[in-house]
Amino acid sequence: MSEAGLRRYHANVWEEPIIMQMGSEGERGIAIPHAEKEIQKTVGSAQSYIPARMKRRRDAALPQVSQPHVLRHYLRLSQQTLGMALNIDIGMGTCTMKYSPQVNEELLRLPQFADLHPFQDEDTVQGILQIMYEFSRFMCEISGMDEFTFQPGGGAHGIYTNACMIKKYHDVNGELKQRDEIISTIFSHPADAACPATADFKVVSLYPDPETGLPDVEALKAAVSKRTAGLMITNPEDTGIFNPMIDEFVNIIHEAGGLCAYDQANSNALFGIARARESGFDMCHFNIHKAFSSPHGCMGPACGSVGTKKEIADYLPVPIVTFDGSRYHLDYDRKHSIGKVRCFFGNIETILRAYAWVMGMGPDDLRQVSETSIINTNYLIKKMSSVQGVTMAYPKQARRLDQVRFSLEKLKEDTGVTTDDVARRMIDFGVQEYFTSHHPWIVPEPFLPEPCDTYSREDIDYWVEVIRHVCQEAYKNPEIVKSAPHNHAITKINRQDLDDPDRYAMTWRAYVRKSKGKGRK
Amino acid sequence: MRKKLGLIVNPIAGMGGSVGLKGTDGEEILRKARQLGAAPTAHTRAVEALRELSALKGSIELFTYPHDMGEEEAKECSFNPVVIGSIQRGKTSAADTKNAAREMLTRGVDLLLFAGGDGTARDIYEAVGDRLPVIGVPAGVKIHSGVFAINPRTAGQLAVSYLRGEVATSEAEVMDIDEEAFRQNRISARLYGYLKIPHDEQLVQNVKVGSVPGEHESMQAIAWEVIDNMQDDYLYIIGPGTTTKAIMKELQLSYTLLGVDVIQQKQPVALDANEARLLELIEGKKAKIIVSVIGGQGYIFGRGNQQISPRVIRKVGKDNIIIVATESKIAALKGMPLLVDTGDREVDEMLKGYSKMVTGYGRSAVYRVA
């Protein structure tokens, strides 16, 4: 421990190359044996089975690396990250970095689950259908909605599903041509704007009142028109502030003929406290990989579960799992269904974990999850209030719920140290870089902690002490913060490259092309 | 190679302010200011900014003008500057600022740090245009231009980031108001041009949101939205500014950056039109006005676009005004409303309330106008 009581962390530094730079021509992980002569003669070559139009003209540029080198490569990479299970992950506001009970992983490995195949007849999968059905009943109770689907593979996918249902609804009513606008707020998750835009809507954003941080109801009244298709909104918004006028927002949209979709990705502070139904929403979505303890999986298997009132339930993706009192069914008979948004039934492993989690909790403990989350946030706010350079956005506003947006504008003005600098320096004390906030930065130099129910008082204290220590460093020796991280697997990188379309590359091919100077332009 | 930094201090900037003279442009006013006991503020503000650069001391070359135009400030901060040009101490004028800026350009400085106000920014703009990135240390009475950092320290820090290659550049407005009119409590602001400044993208940019567009892409997206919705039977009156003129760029039309241009059916009708010409053009025709937020303070009418007069606005009608602004411009307002100051109270009242702004392709925002 250092003098400030903080851990002296140091990551493994492997200077690991990208896998495309490893190995050599002809190197193989597995030498696949040739088929026997007789078989070759009878069935011909494997290639002859591929239709000519589907054949690649050139071989795929796959890495050619031996097995031990591959194993070493990925283990080294894993040692260069600060994952959820290694550190106090309070900094990732809006992500609800909750502990995923390890015992639930055992359930996923049971052959009764692991060996299921999505093509099986429903008679042979009654068990998993029962779990899905019962979990949908839990979700209905939690939200007040009437039916659920678990097909969308993530949060934004769930929001997109809602946008598609809004679109289909107006199409069925013959008003789609006229109703081409979705209203959202700038502090809602950006997917509440991006998803309807992907579904071909125009998006109108409302800005917050500079005093309260809440979206302005008068601005909403000015925004609605005969073009309004619906409202897609987060509450509490990405500031942790709950909009107490939400019922009125919903009413205004309903009166204008639109539908209202509630983005409940950040639902961790609302279990047993507030529901979509009582606010009047027509539909909502929850991220099962957030408040319901299933892991995020790094953009991997997640679930944006979508619920609707029965009036909209005909628009849900098919199939929906139903129960007739003795058997469970896959119901494809939905008159206005938007169709499938993903193959098969969704990432059911997230549902199995969440089912186990909810069963383990029960209603009273679920409410306690939210109460703990709110208490943790407000405890963190209290601790943070004595840190020099940190201010809370919208200080006059009421209590924060699941998260809180702070600003380091004062620190930047005093010392030149930015929120990105502080985020990088935190790594040197074994805490992963925090999430500043979504764009645009309405709150300057932001950071957005979410100390959900997972974290103990000691965890929160440590996290705040790291911020305090780094801010003190900023006043004494700003260079050490600006040039951080010093103890991590990689050092500070030039962020301009990340923002420059001529430089950044999402694929190896793009990297090769751009680094040879054949960029856009 | 060592980076070269230019430093120009306008020693008299800000002197009018402390004695209520609303600016220090012109010899007569300066004399009056001195009589009233005005003290120079530019010196301390320049020093404050320069101190932020001390970490780069060994790695940059500093060029400056003699005496109180930068030499004294540089030496006070223990720099060893290359002093160029010659001036008469205590008798400097706009011409000295311009000469200094020109010489810095010839010397190939990478960045010009200057302490002054809107008048100084104008002089530098006239001398070097957009050929040299600059950062303004706010030291003047009038700070309407977008080329100034929020305070001297931030100016110094931004200079460090730029010299280290951490930030890119973008254009910012050079605005100035007519001091004589200002003294009579009339504000008459003009947009003089655009200087290149290091742009701290942090206001909107976030590394973790990989797809966040830069300022250039945002303007392009706004232009596409406006162009896609253009109707052939309308004239489009396109106000000054980089955001509005991105529309002309996308249409591959020539334009005047600071003027009001008019197009119809995506073809030019008039360039740099004045009020009379605008009135003549829209007589009996349907028209729309496209304006952006000018000058960082939130003005959409009455600053830099006075050609679009109350009479023009009345004729076109409130419903035919298209406001365009990038999200970073809106964020820079920090929640403050958009402002109008057309000089006609009734028109101002008409424009107040909530307006829709185009902020991207298929994207808009409803925002308060006050």
Side-chain angles (χ1 to χ4, degrees):
Chain A
M1 295 273 183
S2 68
E3 83 278 16
L6 304 178
R7 282 169 191 276
R8 286 189 310 141
Y9 164 80
H10 204 299
N12 290 309
V13 181
W14 285 108
E15 298 189 325
E16 192 63 10
I18 289 170
I19 192 133
M20 298 300 295
Q21 297 166 307
M22 293 170 57
S24 54
E25 186 66 35
E27 205 174 308
R28 290 288 180 272
I30 303 168
I32 300 168
H34 289 290
E36 288 158 34
K37 282 243 161 61
E38 203 166 330
I39 293 174
Q40 279 186 35
K41 223 156 97 195
T42 315
V43 299
S45 74
Q47 282 211 7
S48 66
Y49 285 83
I50 301 169
R53 285 169 62 191
M54 289 180 71
K55 265 186 199 159
R56 302 185 67 102
R57 295 209 183 102
R58 269 177 298 163
D59 284 346
L62 297 174
Q64 306 188 42
V65 190
S66 72
Q67 269 193 47
H69 287 117
V70 170
L71 179 65
R72 222 183 276 164
H73 175 68
Y74 287 106
L75 274 178
R76 284 173 178 174
L77 289 186
S78 76
Q79 289 187 337
Q80 297 193 143
T81 64
L82 257 179
M84 164 70 202
L86 275 174
N87 85 116
I88 302 167
D89 223 349
I90 284 174
M92 302 301 281
T94 79
C95 292
T96 317
M97 299 308 289
K98 182 176 291 205
Y99 176 64
S100 305
Q102 294 301 297
V103 67
N104 292 344
E105 302 306 310
E106 296 295 320
L107 296 176
L108 305 189
R109 290 185 198 113
L110 293 174
Q112 293 93 322
F113 179 77
D115 295 347
L116 286 174
H117 194 282
F119 279 142
Q120 273 177 256
D121 187 88
E122 67 182 40
D123 278 341
T124 68
V125 288
Q126 286 290 303
I128 192 66
L129 292 184
Q130 181 184 350
I131 287 173
M132 289 171 74
Y133 178 77
E134 286 180 5
F135 189 65
S136 80
R137 294 294 94 201
F138 300 164
M139 295 304 291
C140 289
E141 188 59 35
I142 286 165
S143 64
M145 295 289 111
D146 297 313
E147 291 204 62
F148 265 84
T149 176
F150 306 124
Q151 219 175 85
H157 198 183
I159 299 172
Y160 178 71
T161 302
N162 276 331
C164 290
M165 286 197 286
I166 294 174
K167 195 173 168 185
K168 188 79 188 270
Y169 174 86
H170 292 305
D171 194 18
V172 167
N173 291 330
E175 289 191 331
L176 186 60
K177 266 215 146 112
Q178 167 204 327
R179 296 191 182 274
D180 66 345
E181 283 183 356
I182 292 287
I183 299 172
S184 187
T185 65
I186 211 83
F187 276 144
S188 285
H189 190 282
D192 291 309
C195 295
T198 307
D200 213 18
F201 283 111
K202 299 206 173 237
V203 179
V204 185
S205 300
L206 309 180
Y207 273 74
D209 180 290
E211 283 289 308
T212 64
L214 290 167
D216 182 346
V217 72
E218 295 305 317
L220 176 68
K221 286 178 189 166
V224 292
S225 70
K226 59 183 194 311
R227 293 180 64 179
T228 302
L231 175 76
M232 303 194 82
I233 194 169
T234 309
N235 193 31
E237 293 192 291
D238 287 0
T239 49
I241 301 172
F242 189 87
N243 177 1
M245 311 271 284
I246 194 66
D247 314 26
E248 198 179 338
F249 272 63
V250 170
N251 280 339
I252 290 168
I253 297 291
H254 280 161
E255 274 166 29
L259 292 177
C260 297
Y262 191 172
D263 173 350
Q264 293 213 265
N266 301 339
S267 61
N268 208 44
L270 299 180
F271 285 121
I273 294 172
R275 306 199 306 175
R277 184 171 206 97
E278 278 70 32
S279 296
F281 281 96
D282 304 291
M283 50 187 78
C284 68
H285 98 276
F286 289 86
N287 286 8
I288 301 305
H289 50 282
K290 288 184 180 173
F292 293 84
S293 93
S294 200
H296 286 61
C298 291
M299 303 283 177
C303 175
S305 68
V306 165
T308 69
K309 278 188 188 163
K310 61 176 179 300
E311 293 84 349
I312 313 292
D314 253 0
Y315 294 85
L316 281 166
V318 286
I320 300 291
V321 180
T322 55
F323 182 52
D324 65 10
S326 59
R327 281 184 77 252
Y328 299 91
H329 302 280
L330 292 168
D331 176 10
Y332 285 86
D333 185 22
R334 297 285 162 144
K335 198 167 154 206
H336 300 307
S337 172
I338 58 168
K340 276 183 167 293
V341 294
R342 190 187 176 88
C343 29
F344 305 119
F345 316 108
N347 290 316
I348 304 306
E349 62 272 32
T350 62
I351 302 306
L352 184 57
R353 289 193 194 99
Y355 178 82
W357 185 75
V358 173
M359 288 293 269
M361 286 287 178
D364 293 341
D365 285 359
L366 274 185
R367 188 183 163 105
Q368 206 189 336
V369 162
S370 290
E371 287 171 351
T372 307
S373 153
I374 296 168
I375 289 168
N376 278 358
T377 302
N378 288 284
Y379 175 73
L380 182 142
I381 291 169
K382 179 80 184 152
K383 293 286 283 188
M384 196 70 82
S385 65
S386 60
V387 177
Q388 191 187 6
V390 179
T391 54
M392 183 169 72
Y394 312 110
K396 289 180 197 157
Q397 197 40 247
R399 285 205 187 290
R400 303 301 187 270
L401 299 187
D402 54 334
Q403 55 191 319
V404 50
R405 197 172 300 201
F406 291 107
S407 171
L408 287 169
E409 190 181 24
K410 174 100 178 46
L411 188 80
K412 187 184 175 188
E413 275 172 27
D414 290 349
T415 68
V417 170
T418 67
T419 187
D420 278 340
D421 296 330
V422 172
R424 287 194 321 275
R425 177 62 174 154
M426 290 186 80
I427 300 166
D428 291 336
F429 303 99
V431 175
Q432 91 150 310
E433 190 182 30
Y434 57 60
F435 174 53
T436 51
S437 83
H438 292 295
H439 136 103
W441 283 3
I442 301 291
V443 174
E445 299 301 318
F447 67 102
L448 183 64
E450 180 182 3
C452 72
D453 47 297
T454 289
Y455 301 98
S456 69
R457 186 172 158 175
E458 289 72 24
D459 288 342
I460 299 171
D461 287 346
Y462 185 86
W463 199 84
V464 174
E465 282 317 302
V466 173
I467 298 265
R468 188 193 310 279
H469 181 74
V470 174
C471 287
Q472 281 167 356
E473 284 182 331
Y475 282 97
K476 280 188 233 144
N477 178 12
E479 260 328 288
I480 200 166
V481 186
K482 285 181 176 179
S483 52
H486 306 286
N487 304 340
H488 202 46
I490 53 166
T491 49
K492 184 183 177 181
I493 51 171
N494 181 357
R495 47 173 291 150
Q496 252 193 292
D497 290 354
L498 299 176
D499 296 336
D500 180 1
D502 289 337
R503 305 286 305 278
Y504 62 59
M506 303 303 165
T507 63
W508 178 252
R509 184 156 39 169
Y511 171 76
V512 171
R513 174 167 46 85
K514 290 180 180 182
S515 61
K516 278 182 186 158
K518 290 179 189 166
R520 215 177 32 161
K521 278 181 186 167
Chain B
M1 214 176 68
R2 290 210 297 175
K3 292 264 185 187
K4 295 176 183 171
L5 173 70
L7 171 70
I8 298 175
V9 179
N10 174 6
I12 59 157
M15 283 177 69
S18 58
V19 289
L21 283 176
K22 306 183 179 175
T24 331
D25 295 355
E27 232 172 283
E28 186 59 25
I29 289 298
L30 177 59
R31 206 150 47 78
K32 213 165 165 187
R34 286 216 170 98
Q35 274 169 9
L36 288 164
T41 57
H43 172 82
T44 46
R45 309 213 97 197
V47 167
E48 210 183 320
L50 211 49
R51 285 204 197 287
E52 295 296 319
L53 285 130
S54 53
L56 297 181
K57 211 167 280 174
S59 55
I60 57 167
E61 217 174 334
L62 184 64
F63 290 83
T64 189
Y65 243 45
H67 313 302
D68 53 356
M69 276 191 76
E71 182 185 1
E72 290 163 16
E73 286 78 5
K75 287 184 173 157
E76 188 171 329
C77 298
S78 322
F79 276 91
N80 190 10
V82 180
V83 182
I84 52 178
S86 64
I87 56 163
Q88 251 190 297
R89 195 185 197 291
K91 287 214 168 142
T92 52
S93 67
D96 293 314
T97 306
K98 288 179 198 169
N99 286 337
R102 271 188 218 109
E103 281 184 55
M104 305 267 173
L105 183 67
T106 338
R107 298 276 179 149
V109 303
D110 296 286
L111 174 71
L112 173 58
L113 190 68
F114 74 93
D118 285 333
T120 321
R122 256 176 75 188
D123 292 337
I124 287 171
Y125 170 69
E126 279 171 35
V128 299
D130 63 356
R131 285 170 291 172
L132 188 59
V134 305
I135 299 173
V137 178
V141 182
K142 299 165 295 163
I143 305 286
H144 299 92
S145 303
V147 301
F148 292 98
I150 50 170
N151 57 39
R153 296 183 70 165
T154 317
Q157 289 154 7
L158 190 55
V160 173
S161 304
Y162 181 72
L163 291 170
R164 281 182 174 162
E166 292 166 358
V167 293
T169 60
S170 69
E171 285 104 36
E173 297 102 333
V174 176
M175 303 276 294
D176 200 3
I177 55 171
D178 177 342
E179 285 190 8
E180 198 43 53
F182 191 33
R183 280 182 201 107
Q184 288 156 24
N185 285 325
R186 278 188 295 116
I187 290 185
S188 157
R190 263 191 65 187
L191 175 62
Y192 283 88
Y194 288 82
L195 277 167
K196 211 195 282 177
I197 59 160
H199 182 55
D200 191 356
E201 293 265 2
Q202 298 243 355
L203 211 51
V204 283
Q205 292 275 27
N206 182 346
V207 177
K208 286 176 213 74
V209 187
S211 61
V212 177
E215 203 61 2
H216 171 73
E217 287 79 6
S218 302
M219 287 185 198
Q220 223 172 19
I222 289 170
W224 292 335
E225 174 66 18
V226 171
I227 291 166
D228 272 10
N229 288 295
M230 280 188 173
Q231 294 163 264
D232 283 351
D233 52 340
Y234 276 85
L235 281 165
Y236 287 84
I237 299 170
I238 301 183
T242 47
T243 317
T244 46
K245 292 304 156 74
I247 297 164
M248 302 294 273
K249 272 192 199 168
E250 288 306 312
L251 289 173
Q252 294 181 321
L253 299 175
S254 57
Y255 59 90
T256 60
L257 185 58
L258 308 180
V260 174
D261 303 329
V262 184
I263 60 171
Q264 187 169 22
Q265 299 186 8
K266 296 165 192 167
Q267 295 303 318
V269 173
L271 286 180
D272 201 10
N274 58 18
E275 184 199 7
R277 180 92 173 104
L278 290 175
L279 287 170
E280 187 190 316
L281 285 170
I282 60 176
E283 185 56 42
K285 295 243 183 75
K286 290 199 276 187
K288 287 183 189 277
I289 296 171
I290 305 174
V291 286
S292 64
V293 182
I294 294 270
Q297 289 155 333
Y299 281 96
I300 49 171
F301 285 109
R303 294 288 181 278
N305 58 5
Q306 283 90 338
Q307 305 94 309
I308 309 173
S309 67
R311 288 168 69 194
V312 176
I313 297 169
R314 263 211 194 93
K315 278 220 152 125
V316 170
K318 187 183 179 181
D319 292 343
N320 287 319
I321 295 171
I322 301 169
I323 307 167
V324 295
T326 60
E327 285 189 333
S328 70
K329 275 237 168 145
I330 302 172
L333 296 174
K334 296 195 170 176
M336 301 314 287
L338 295 176
L339 302 171
V340 285
D341 182 19
T342 63
D344 181 321
R345 187 178 283 247
E346 250 179 60
V347 170
D348 287 354
E349 283 307 314
M350 174 185 94
L351 294 170
K352 284 177 188 174
Y354 288 86
S355 279
K356 213 177 196 182
M357 286 191 275
V358 177
T359 59
Y361 191 74
R363 297 293 302 265
S364 60
V366 171
Y367 206 84
R368 196 156 64 90
V369 181

